[in-house]
Amino acid sequence: MSRRPTVLFVCVHNAGRSQMAAGWLRHLAGDAVEVRSAGSEPAERINPVAVEAMREVGIDITANVPRKLDWETAESSDVLITMGCGDACPVFPGKRYLDWQLDDPAGQGIEAVRAIRDEIRVRVERLIADLPVTPA
């Protein structure tokens, strides 16, 4: 991995799980990690309940926009973390892959999304501990 690893979070809509994970990683690791997120079938906007759940912990993801997963972004990432993107997730030799089985926050209330948010934080903290970075 390069001195500043690149992590790509991928889910179907890039509107909930992957956006919350990217928000946590940016918040906890700062500039030590390049953070990306994308979706195999991106939504038009981020899930407002995910935005609210992240706001509750002081992380603003309102400026984020769901993005389409593209070959170049995936290929140039060091770590690819999938969250239910199915067969649309490309596989490249020499990359590190993690598959995080997490409930989809789409259509769920704030209580359920808080639990997903908190689980994502735990996983992001483990990821940071396993990357060659110094958190901000």
Side-chain angles (χ1 to χ4, degrees):
M1 257 186 257
S2 64
R3 191 167 159 253
R4 181 175 177 232
T6 302
V7 175
L8 172 61
F9 295 102
V10 183
C11 67
V12 176
H13 298 118
N14 190 223
R17 295 168 289 192
S18 57
Q19 292 288 354
M20 289 191 290
W24 275 123
L25 186 55
R26 283 186 191 100
H27 178 76
L28 297 170
D31 292 334
V33 177
E34 182 178 339
V35 181
R36 302 170 173 175
S37 69
S40 54
E41 297 175 26
E44 291 187 22
R45 64 186 178 109
I46 295 179
N47 178 333
V49 183
V51 169
E52 178 58 30
M54 293 302 285
R55 183 179 297 131
E56 290 177 352
V57 293
I59 300 172
D60 183 3
I61 61 171
T62 57
N64 298 2
V65 176
R67 297 189 191 320
K68 176 87 173 142
L69 175 64
D70 65 69
W71 186 271
E72 296 80 24
T73 300
E75 186 175 32
S76 66
S77 297
D78 297 308
V79 180
L80 290 88
I81 300 174
T82 59
M83 303 174 189
C85 66
D87 295 336
C89 294
V91 176
F92 299 99
K95 305 294 179 186
R96 179 175 171 202
Y97 290 88
L98 299 170
D99 184 39
W100 290 357
Q101 297 294 317
L102 296 160
D103 290 337
D104 188 347
Q108 299 207 43
I110 191 69
E111 289 296 326
V113 176
R114 284 179 184 134
I116 297 165
R117 173 202 67 201
D118 295 345
E119 176 61 25
I120 291 171
R121 179 184 180 139
V122 169
R123 292 175 190 224
V124 167
E125 288 171 338
R126 283 189 212 132
L127 174 68
I128 292 169
D130 202 32
L131 289 174
V133 300
T134 303

